[in-house]
Amino acid sequence: MRTCTITREAAIDALKQYNKEPFHIQHGLTVEAVMRWFAEELGRADEVDYWGMVGLLHDIDFEMYPEEHCVKAIELLQAAGVEEDMIYSICSHAYELHNDWEPKDLMEKVLYGADELTGLIGAAALMRPSKSTKDMELKSLKKKFKDKKFAAGCSRDVIKRGAEMLGWELDELLIKTLQAMQAGEDRIAKECEQHIG
């Protein structure tokens, strides 16, 4: 069982130190909630805090150092007191984009596949009259996924590769990540209000 050496309060402080745009803080909180859901869903409830922390901190360097994403993060995470195995897990989601740290275990593969997908689902939710994921269905999500012009910054190739790494059909990753966002939507909104205003 893996446990965190950094507290959640310290992790949020570190995230906010290097991220001022509300979107980036919201994304960290969203991926945290999604990773916590996956930990429970996939039988890793004893590591739920660890999975969540990896999700929360995964883009710590992205706003200030986009060209050095998951390279600069090593230094920032070390300064925040994050342990080396968590740093590897965090930085592995940039595999073959910014580094050669391959996602090895279940948690790292989930982060790799779900990270980009949370952005796509979030963008799709904003297009809905409800502005919510709660009434979104897989069919609607798949339509947005196939439209390469929609949320073009969310790499479909990375999402597909994440599903392959996990040994899942694409639909399984899509529906599970959607369910995770639906389950966490209220908590994420509350956290955003607290940390963004």
mmCIF file of all heavy atoms in Angstrom, residues 62-104:
data_model
loop_
_atom_site.group_PDB
_atom_site.id
_atom_site.type_symbol
_atom_site.label_atom_id
_atom_site.label_comp_id
_atom_site.label_asym_id
_atom_site.label_seq_id
_atom_site.Cartn_x
_atom_site.Cartn_y
_atom_site.Cartn_z
ATOM 1 N N PHE A 62 2.363 22.827 -15.689
ATOM 2 C CA PHE A 62 1.869 23.044 -17.050
ATOM 3 C C PHE A 62 1.596 24.512 -17.378
ATOM 4 O O PHE A 62 1.897 24.972 -18.474
ATOM 5 C CB PHE A 62 0.605 22.218 -17.316
ATOM 6 C CG PHE A 62 0.196 22.242 -18.760
ATOM 7 C CD1 PHE A 62 0.870 21.481 -19.696
ATOM 8 C CD2 PHE A 62 -0.847 23.049 -19.197
ATOM 9 C CE1 PHE A 62 0.518 21.512 -21.032
ATOM 10 C CE2 PHE A 62 -1.206 23.090 -20.534
ATOM 11 C CZ PHE A 62 -0.526 22.321 -21.453
ATOM 12 N N GLU A 63 1.050 25.265 -16.431
ATOM 13 C CA GLU A 63 0.710 26.664 -16.721
ATOM 14 C C GLU A 63 1.962 27.517 -16.936
ATOM 15 O O GLU A 63 2.043 28.273 -17.897
ATOM 16 C CB GLU A 63 -0.141 27.255 -15.600
ATOM 17 C CG GLU A 63 -0.586 28.686 -15.890
ATOM 18 C CD GLU A 63 -1.472 29.268 -14.802
ATOM 19 O OE1 GLU A 63 -2.400 28.566 -14.335
ATOM 20 O OE2 GLU A 63 -1.228 30.424 -14.415
ATOM 21 N N MET A 64 2.944 27.379 -16.063
ATOM 22 C CA MET A 64 4.135 28.227 -16.127
ATOM 23 C C MET A 64 5.211 27.687 -17.057
ATOM 24 O O MET A 64 6.004 28.459 -17.602
ATOM 25 C CB MET A 64 4.711 28.417 -14.721
ATOM 26 C CG MET A 64 3.822 29.263 -13.825
ATOM 27 S SD MET A 64 4.486 29.465 -12.151
ATOM 28 C CE MET A 64 5.874 30.534 -12.452
ATOM 29 N N TYR A 65 5.253 26.367 -17.230
ATOM 30 C CA TYR A 65 6.326 25.745 -18.018
ATOM 31 C C TYR A 65 5.766 24.731 -19.021
ATOM 32 O O TYR A 65 6.140 23.555 -18.998
ATOM 33 C CB TYR A 65 7.330 25.052 -17.089
ATOM 34 C CG TYR A 65 7.853 25.929 -15.980
ATOM 35 C CD1 TYR A 65 7.316 25.882 -14.696
ATOM 36 C CD2 TYR A 65 8.900 26.836 -16.217
ATOM 37 C CE1 TYR A 65 7.796 26.687 -13.676
ATOM 38 C CE2 TYR A 65 9.393 27.642 -15.193
ATOM 39 C CZ TYR A 65 8.825 27.570 -13.934
ATOM 40 O OH TYR A 65 9.308 28.370 -12.925
ATOM 41 N N PRO A 66 4.878 25.161 -19.929
ATOM 42 C CA PRO A 66 4.248 24.198 -20.840
ATOM 43 C C PRO A 66 5.235 23.442 -21.726
ATOM 44 O O PRO A 66 5.013 22.275 -22.052
ATOM 45 C CB PRO A 66 3.290 25.053 -21.675
ATOM 46 C CG PRO A 66 3.797 26.461 -21.536
ATOM 47 C CD PRO A 66 4.418 26.530 -20.184
ATOM 48 N N GLU A 67 6.329 24.100 -22.106
ATOM 49 C CA GLU A 67 7.315 23.436 -22.964
ATOM 50 C C GLU A 67 8.176 22.437 -22.186
ATOM 51 O O GLU A 67 8.833 21.587 -22.779
ATOM 52 C CB GLU A 67 8.223 24.482 -23.644
ATOM 53 C CG GLU A 67 7.478 25.465 -24.533
ATOM 54 C CD GLU A 67 6.670 24.790 -25.628
ATOM 55 O OE1 GLU A 67 7.198 23.856 -26.260
ATOM 56 O OE2 GLU A 67 5.498 25.183 -25.838
ATOM 57 N N GLU A 68 8.168 22.556 -20.863
ATOM 58 C CA GLU A 68 8.959 21.647 -20.015
ATOM 59 C C GLU A 68 8.045 20.793 -19.145
ATOM 60 O O GLU A 68 8.439 20.340 -18.074
ATOM 61 C CB GLU A 68 9.893 22.462 -19.110
ATOM 62 C CG GLU A 68 10.922 23.293 -19.830
ATOM 63 C CD GLU A 68 11.728 24.124 -18.839
ATOM 64 O OE1 GLU A 68 12.652 23.568 -18.221
ATOM 65 O OE2 GLU A 68 11.391 25.316 -18.669
ATOM 66 N N HIS A 69 6.828 20.569 -19.622
ATOM 67 C CA HIS A 69 5.833 19.845 -18.836
ATOM 68 C C HIS A 69 6.330 18.460 -18.440
ATOM 69 O O HIS A 69 6.821 17.708 -19.268
ATOM 70 C CB HIS A 69 4.532 19.733 -19.637
ATOM 71 C CG HIS A 69 3.438 19.020 -18.928
ATOM 72 N ND1 HIS A 69 3.163 19.229 -17.594
ATOM 73 C CD2 HIS A 69 2.534 18.097 -19.352
ATOM 74 C CE1 HIS A 69 2.140 18.472 -17.248
ATOM 75 N NE2 HIS A 69 1.751 17.764 -18.287
ATOM 76 N N CYS A 70 6.210 18.167 -17.162
ATOM 77 C CA CYS A 70 6.659 16.904 -16.555
ATOM 78 C C CYS A 70 8.180 16.735 -16.617
ATOM 79 O O CYS A 70 8.699 15.643 -16.421
ATOM 80 C CB CYS A 70 5.939 15.704 -17.155
ATOM 81 S SG CYS A 70 4.248 15.583 -16.537
ATOM 82 N N VAL A 71 8.878 17.821 -16.892
ATOM 83 C CA VAL A 71 10.336 17.892 -16.737
ATOM 84 C C VAL A 71 10.604 18.851 -15.579
ATOM 85 O O VAL A 71 11.228 18.493 -14.581
ATOM 86 C CB VAL A 71 11.021 18.351 -18.035
ATOM 87 C CG1 VAL A 71 12.519 18.518 -17.812
ATOM 88 C CG2 VAL A 71 10.742 17.360 -19.172
ATOM 89 N N LYS A 72 10.064 20.064 -15.706
ATOM 90 C CA LYS A 72 10.157 21.049 -14.627
ATOM 91 C C LYS A 72 9.423 20.554 -13.373
ATOM 92 O O LYS A 72 9.815 20.866 -12.243
ATOM 93 C CB LYS A 72 9.562 22.381 -15.094
ATOM 94 C CG LYS A 72 9.772 23.541 -14.139
ATOM 95 C CD LYS A 72 11.219 23.972 -14.072
ATOM 96 C CE LYS A 72 11.379 25.216 -13.212
ATOM 97 N NZ LYS A 72 12.784 25.630 -13.095
ATOM 98 N N ALA A 73 8.390 19.746 -13.581
ATOM 99 C CA ALA A 73 7.591 19.232 -12.464
ATOM 100 C C ALA A 73 8.445 18.505 -11.436
ATOM 101 O O ALA A 73 8.167 18.586 -10.234
ATOM 102 C CB ALA A 73 6.505 18.292 -12.990
ATOM 103 N N ILE A 74 9.476 17.819 -11.888
ATOM 104 C CA ILE A 74 10.331 17.059 -10.969
ATOM 105 C C ILE A 74 10.883 17.978 -9.887
ATOM 106 O O ILE A 74 10.783 17.693 -8.691
ATOM 107 C CB ILE A 74 11.476 16.354 -11.739
ATOM 108 C CG1 ILE A 74 10.892 15.371 -12.752
ATOM 109 C CG2 ILE A 74 12.434 15.662 -10.785
ATOM 110 C CD1 ILE A 74 11.895 14.870 -13.784
ATOM 111 N N GLU A 75 11.429 19.094 -10.319
ATOM 112 C CA GLU A 75 12.012 20.077 -9.387
ATOM 113 C C GLU A 75 10.940 20.679 -8.463
ATOM 114 O O GLU A 75 11.142 20.796 -7.259
ATOM 115 C CB GLU A 75 12.670 21.174 -10.229
ATOM 116 C CG GLU A 75 13.212 22.354 -9.486
ATOM 117 C CD GLU A 75 13.620 23.491 -10.437
ATOM 118 O OE1 GLU A 75 14.059 23.213 -11.572
ATOM 119 O OE2 GLU A 75 13.469 24.643 -10.016
ATOM 120 N N LEU A 76 9.791 21.037 -9.034
ATOM 121 C CA LEU A 76 8.724 21.663 -8.245
ATOM 122 C C LEU A 76 8.157 20.688 -7.210
ATOM 123 O O LEU A 76 7.877 21.074 -6.071
ATOM 124 C CB LEU A 76 7.596 22.155 -9.161
ATOM 125 C CG LEU A 76 7.982 23.112 -10.296
ATOM 126 C CD1 LEU A 76 6.738 23.590 -11.022
ATOM 127 C CD2 LEU A 76 8.800 24.292 -9.795
ATOM 128 N N LEU A 77 7.992 19.442 -7.615
ATOM 129 C CA LEU A 77 7.448 18.431 -6.716
ATOM 130 C C LEU A 77 8.439 18.078 -5.609
ATOM 131 O O LEU A 77 8.048 17.905 -4.452
ATOM 132 C CB LEU A 77 7.045 17.182 -7.509
ATOM 133 C CG LEU A 77 5.844 17.382 -8.460
ATOM 134 C CD1 LEU A 77 5.749 16.238 -9.451
ATOM 135 C CD2 LEU A 77 4.537 17.541 -7.686
ATOM 136 N N GLN A 78 9.714 17.986 -5.963
ATOM 137 C CA GLN A 78 10.739 17.730 -4.942
ATOM 138 C C GLN A 78 10.746 18.848 -3.910
ATOM 139 O O GLN A 78 10.822 18.594 -2.700
ATOM 140 C CB GLN A 78 12.114 17.590 -5.589
ATOM 141 C CG GLN A 78 12.308 16.278 -6.324
ATOM 142 C CD GLN A 78 13.596 16.236 -7.141
ATOM 143 O OE1 GLN A 78 14.169 17.277 -7.496
ATOM 144 N NE2 GLN A 78 14.060 15.029 -7.450
ATOM 145 N N ALA A 79 10.650 20.097 -4.371
ATOM 146 C CA ALA A 79 10.639 21.247 -3.462
ATOM 147 C C ALA A 79 9.428 21.221 -2.531
ATOM 148 O O ALA A 79 9.491 21.707 -1.403
ATOM 149 C CB ALA A 79 10.654 22.547 -4.265
ATOM 150 N N ALA A 80 8.328 20.638 -3.015
ATOM 151 C CA ALA A 80 7.106 20.553 -2.205
ATOM 152 C C ALA A 80 7.119 19.354 -1.258
ATOM 153 O O ALA A 80 6.196 19.187 -0.460
ATOM 154 C CB ALA A 80 5.886 20.465 -3.120
ATOM 155 N N GLY A 81 8.159 18.515 -1.351
ATOM 156 C CA GLY A 81 8.277 17.374 -0.454
ATOM 157 C C GLY A 81 7.609 16.104 -0.949
ATOM 158 O O GLY A 81 7.310 15.201 -0.163
ATOM 159 N N VAL A 82 7.355 16.027 -2.250
ATOM 160 C CA VAL A 82 6.725 14.833 -2.824
ATOM 161 C C VAL A 82 7.785 13.749 -3.012
ATOM 162 O O VAL A 82 8.884 14.021 -3.497
ATOM 163 C CB VAL A 82 6.041 15.170 -4.173
ATOM 164 C CG1 VAL A 82 5.450 13.919 -4.820
ATOM 165 C CG2 VAL A 82 4.967 16.238 -3.963
ATOM 166 N N GLU A 83 7.445 12.512 -2.639
ATOM 167 C CA GLU A 83 8.393 11.400 -2.725
ATOM 168 C C GLU A 83 8.626 10.977 -4.179
ATOM 169 O O GLU A 83 7.811 11.235 -5.059
ATOM 170 C CB GLU A 83 7.920 10.216 -1.882
ATOM 171 C CG GLU A 83 6.602 9.605 -2.301
ATOM 172 C CD GLU A 83 5.386 10.195 -1.602
ATOM 173 O OE1 GLU A 83 5.363 11.403 -1.320
ATOM 174 O OE2 GLU A 83 4.442 9.430 -1.364
ATOM 175 N N GLU A 84 9.756 10.311 -4.400
ATOM 176 C CA GLU A 84 10.207 9.980 -5.751
ATOM 177 C C GLU A 84 9.246 9.071 -6.508
ATOM 178 O O GLU A 84 9.048 9.243 -7.704
ATOM 179 C CB GLU A 84 11.604 9.343 -5.710
ATOM 180 C CG GLU A 84 12.707 10.300 -5.262
ATOM 181 C CD GLU A 84 12.856 11.542 -6.144
ATOM 182 O OE1 GLU A 84 12.809 11.418 -7.381
ATOM 183 O OE2 GLU A 84 12.999 12.648 -5.583
ATOM 184 N N ASP A 85 8.639 8.084 -5.838
ATOM 185 C CA ASP A 85 7.746 7.192 -6.573
ATOM 186 C C ASP A 85 6.490 7.919 -7.036
ATOM 187 O O ASP A 85 5.976 7.666 -8.122
ATOM 188 C CB ASP A 85 7.407 5.922 -5.778
ATOM 189 C CG ASP A 85 6.642 6.191 -4.496
ATOM 190 O OD1 ASP A 85 6.764 7.300 -3.942
ATOM 191 O OD2 ASP A 85 5.925 5.284 -4.037
ATOM 192 N N MET A 86 6.015 8.888 -6.251
ATOM 193 C CA MET A 86 4.869 9.682 -6.674
ATOM 194 C C MET A 86 5.254 10.612 -7.817
ATOM 195 O O MET A 86 4.461 10.819 -8.747
ATOM 196 C CB MET A 86 4.275 10.473 -5.507
ATOM 197 C CG MET A 86 3.005 11.224 -5.902
ATOM 198 S SD MET A 86 2.271 12.176 -4.548
ATOM 199 C CE MET A 86 1.439 10.875 -3.651
ATOM 200 N N ILE A 87 6.460 11.154 -7.782
ATOM 201 C CA ILE A 87 6.940 12.005 -8.876
ATOM 202 C C ILE A 87 6.953 11.210 -10.179
ATOM 203 O O ILE A 87 6.514 11.694 -11.223
ATOM 204 C CB ILE A 87 8.325 12.605 -8.560
ATOM 205 C CG1 ILE A 87 8.207 13.629 -7.411
ATOM 206 C CG2 ILE A 87 8.941 13.259 -9.797
ATOM 207 C CD1 ILE A 87 9.526 14.158 -6.884
ATOM 208 N N TYR A 88 7.427 9.968 -10.105
ATOM 209 C CA TYR A 88 7.430 9.127 -11.316
ATOM 210 C C TYR A 88 5.995 8.927 -11.821
ATOM 211 O O TYR A 88 5.718 9.077 -13.017
ATOM 212 C CB TYR A 88 8.079 7.758 -11.048
ATOM 213 C CG TYR A 88 8.171 6.914 -12.300
ATOM 214 C CD1 TYR A 88 9.341 6.885 -13.044
ATOM 215 C CD2 TYR A 88 7.081 6.174 -12.763
ATOM 216 C CE1 TYR A 88 9.422 6.140 -14.216
ATOM 217 C CE2 TYR A 88 7.145 5.436 -13.928
ATOM 218 C CZ TYR A 88 8.319 5.413 -14.651
ATOM 219 O OH TYR A 88 8.390 4.689 -15.812
ATOM 220 N N SER A 89 5.095 8.584 -10.908
ATOM 221 C CA SER A 89 3.700 8.351 -11.296
ATOM 222 C C SER A 89 3.093 9.579 -11.958
ATOM 223 O O SER A 89 2.406 9.472 -12.980
ATOM 224 C CB SER A 89 2.863 7.952 -10.077
ATOM 225 O OG SER A 89 3.270 6.709 -9.571
ATOM 226 N N ILE A 90 3.338 10.743 -11.378
ATOM 227 C CA ILE A 90 2.821 11.998 -11.926
ATOM 228 C C ILE A 90 3.389 12.258 -13.319
ATOM 229 O O ILE A 90 2.650 12.536 -14.267
ATOM 230 C CB ILE A 90 3.145 13.175 -10.977
ATOM 231 C CG1 ILE A 90 2.288 13.078 -9.704
ATOM 232 C CG2 ILE A 90 2.953 14.524 -11.667
ATOM 233 C CD1 ILE A 90 2.726 13.984 -8.575
ATOM 234 N N CYS A 91 4.693 12.147 -13.447
ATOM 235 C CA CYS A 91 5.347 12.518 -14.704
ATOM 236 C C CYS A 91 5.162 11.490 -15.813
ATOM 237 O O CYS A 91 5.339 11.810 -16.995
ATOM 238 C CB CYS A 91 6.826 12.796 -14.461
ATOM 239 S SG CYS A 91 7.083 14.266 -13.427
ATOM 240 N N SER A 92 4.748 10.278 -15.461
ATOM 241 C CA SER A 92 4.556 9.245 -16.486
ATOM 242 C C SER A 92 3.376 9.553 -17.409
ATOM 243 O O SER A 92 3.277 8.978 -18.487
ATOM 244 C CB SER A 92 4.373 7.866 -15.838
ATOM 245 O OG SER A 92 3.127 7.770 -15.175
ATOM 246 N N HIS A 93 2.501 10.486 -17.025
ATOM 247 C CA HIS A 93 1.374 10.780 -17.915
ATOM 248 C C HIS A 93 1.810 11.599 -19.136
ATOM 249 O O HIS A 93 1.033 11.756 -20.077
ATOM 250 C CB HIS A 93 0.232 11.483 -17.155
ATOM 251 C CG HIS A 93 0.362 12.961 -17.017
ATOM 252 N ND1 HIS A 93 1.118 13.545 -16.025
ATOM 253 C CD2 HIS A 93 -0.152 13.977 -17.741
ATOM 254 C CE1 HIS A 93 1.044 14.864 -16.158
ATOM 255 N NE2 HIS A 93 0.284 15.150 -17.187
ATOM 256 N N ALA A 94 3.057 12.061 -19.144
ATOM 257 C CA ALA A 94 3.586 12.775 -20.317
ATOM 258 C C ALA A 94 4.471 11.866 -21.172
ATOM 259 O O ALA A 94 5.260 12.335 -21.985
ATOM 260 C CB ALA A 94 4.372 14.007 -19.872
ATOM 261 N N TYR A 95 4.313 10.572 -20.989
ATOM 262 C CA TYR A 95 5.111 9.573 -21.720
ATOM 263 C C TYR A 95 5.056 9.804 -23.233
ATOM 264 O O TYR A 95 3.993 9.965 -23.807
ATOM 265 C CB TYR A 95 4.591 8.179 -21.380
ATOM 266 C CG TYR A 95 5.269 7.051 -22.101
ATOM 267 C CD1 TYR A 95 6.640 6.867 -22.017
ATOM 268 C CD2 TYR A 95 4.530 6.151 -22.857
ATOM 269 C CE1 TYR A 95 7.274 5.814 -22.669
ATOM 270 C CE2 TYR A 95 5.143 5.085 -23.505
ATOM 271 C CZ TYR A 95 6.511 4.924 -23.416
ATOM 272 O OH TYR A 95 7.129 3.881 -24.055
ATOM 273 N N GLU A 96 6.242 9.862 -23.831
ATOM 274 C CA GLU A 96 6.454 10.047 -25.267
ATOM 275 C C GLU A 96 6.024 11.422 -25.784
ATOM 276 O O GLU A 96 6.100 11.682 -26.960
ATOM 277 C CB GLU A 96 5.787 8.935 -26.082
ATOM 278 C CG GLU A 96 6.471 7.582 -25.866
ATOM 279 C CD GLU A 96 6.031 6.520 -26.840
ATOM 280 O OE1 GLU A 96 4.876 6.570 -27.317
ATOM 281 O OE2 GLU A 96 6.850 5.623 -27.123
ATOM 282 N N LEU A 97 5.590 12.289 -24.893
ATOM 283 C CA LEU A 97 5.305 13.676 -25.268
ATOM 284 C C LEU A 97 6.426 14.580 -24.755
ATOM 285 O O LEU A 97 6.952 15.404 -25.485
ATOM 286 C CB LEU A 97 3.958 14.122 -24.698
ATOM 287 C CG LEU A 97 2.732 13.355 -25.200
ATOM 288 C CD1 LEU A 97 1.499 13.739 -24.398
ATOM 289 C CD2 LEU A 97 2.503 13.626 -26.680
ATOM 290 N N HIS A 98 6.772 14.387 -23.470
ATOM 291 C CA HIS A 98 7.814 15.208 -22.858
ATOM 292 C C HIS A 98 8.896 14.392 -22.150
ATOM 293 O O HIS A 98 9.874 14.952 -21.683
ATOM 294 C CB HIS A 98 7.197 16.199 -21.861
ATOM 295 C CG HIS A 98 6.261 17.181 -22.488
ATOM 296 N ND1 HIS A 98 6.683 18.347 -23.086
ATOM 297 C CD2 HIS A 98 4.907 17.172 -22.628
ATOM 298 C CE1 HIS A 98 5.634 19.012 -23.554
ATOM 299 N NE2 HIS A 98 4.554 18.320 -23.295
ATOM 300 N N ASN A 99 8.671 13.080 -22.032
ATOM 301 C CA ASN A 99 9.672 12.235 -21.370
ATOM 302 C C ASN A 99 9.508 10.782 -21.809
ATOM 303 O O ASN A 99 8.606 10.470 -22.600
ATOM 304 C CB ASN A 99 9.585 12.364 -19.834
ATOM 305 C CG ASN A 99 8.273 11.851 -19.270
ATOM 306 O OD1 ASN A 99 7.725 10.850 -19.706
ATOM 307 N ND2 ASN A 99 7.745 12.543 -18.264
ATOM 308 N N ASP A 100 10.372 9.917 -21.298
ATOM 309 C CA ASP A 100 10.273 8.493 -21.635
ATOM 310 C C ASP A 100 9.908 7.656 -20.405
ATOM 311 O O ASP A 100 10.256 6.488 -20.299
ATOM 312 C CB ASP A 100 11.577 7.991 -22.273
ATOM 313 C CG ASP A 100 12.788 8.151 -21.355
ATOM 314 O OD1 ASP A 100 12.640 8.695 -20.245
ATOM 315 O OD2 ASP A 100 13.889 7.715 -21.756
ATOM 316 N N TRP A 101 9.186 8.263 -19.464
ATOM 317 C CA TRP A 101 8.760 7.580 -18.244
ATOM 318 C C TRP A 101 7.461 6.840 -18.529
ATOM 319 O O TRP A 101 6.376 7.391 -18.400
ATOM 320 C CB TRP A 101 8.565 8.576 -17.108
ATOM 321 C CG TRP A 101 9.828 9.253 -16.645
ATOM 322 C CD1 TRP A 101 11.007 9.366 -17.322
ATOM 323 C CD2 TRP A 101 10.016 9.939 -15.410
ATOM 324 N NE1 TRP A 101 11.917 10.072 -16.582
ATOM 325 C CE2 TRP A 101 11.335 10.437 -15.393
ATOM 326 C CE3 TRP A 101 9.202 10.179 -14.310
ATOM 327 C CZ2 TRP A 101 11.856 11.154 -14.332
ATOM 328 C CZ3 TRP A 101 9.713 10.909 -13.246
ATOM 329 C CH2 TRP A 101 11.027 11.378 -13.260
ATOM 330 N N GLU A 102 7.572 5.599 -18.877
ATOM 331 C CA GLU A 102 6.395 4.818 -19.279
ATOM 332 C C GLU A 102 5.480 4.523 -18.089
ATOM 333 O O GLU A 102 5.955 4.128 -17.019
ATOM 334 C CB GLU A 102 6.849 3.499 -19.902
ATOM 335 C CG GLU A 102 5.720 2.694 -20.474
ATOM 336 C CD GLU A 102 6.193 1.482 -21.239
ATOM 337 O OE1 GLU A 102 7.415 1.231 -21.305
ATOM 338 O OE2 GLU A 102 5.328 0.777 -21.783
ATOM 339 N N PRO A 103 4.158 4.701 -18.263
ATOM 340 C CA PRO A 103 3.224 4.291 -17.205
ATOM 341 C C PRO A 103 3.327 2.780 -16.994
ATOM 342 O O PRO A 103 3.167 2.008 -17.941
ATOM 343 C CB PRO A 103 1.851 4.673 -17.780
ATOM 344 C CG PRO A 103 2.148 5.724 -18.812
ATOM 345 C CD PRO A 103 3.484 5.346 -19.381
ATOM 346 N N LYS A 104 3.621 2.385 -15.759
ATOM 347 C CA LYS A 104 3.871 0.970 -15.485
ATOM 348 C C LYS A 104 2.718 0.292 -14.754
ATOM 349 O O LYS A 104 2.313 -0.801 -15.116
ATOM 350 C CB LYS A 104 5.153 0.820 -14.655
ATOM 351 C CG LYS A 104 6.407 1.241 -15.404
ATOM 352 C CD LYS A 104 7.619 1.174 -14.486
ATOM 353 C CE LYS A 104 8.872 1.643 -15.208
ATOM 354 N NZ LYS A 104 10.022 1.753 -14.301
#
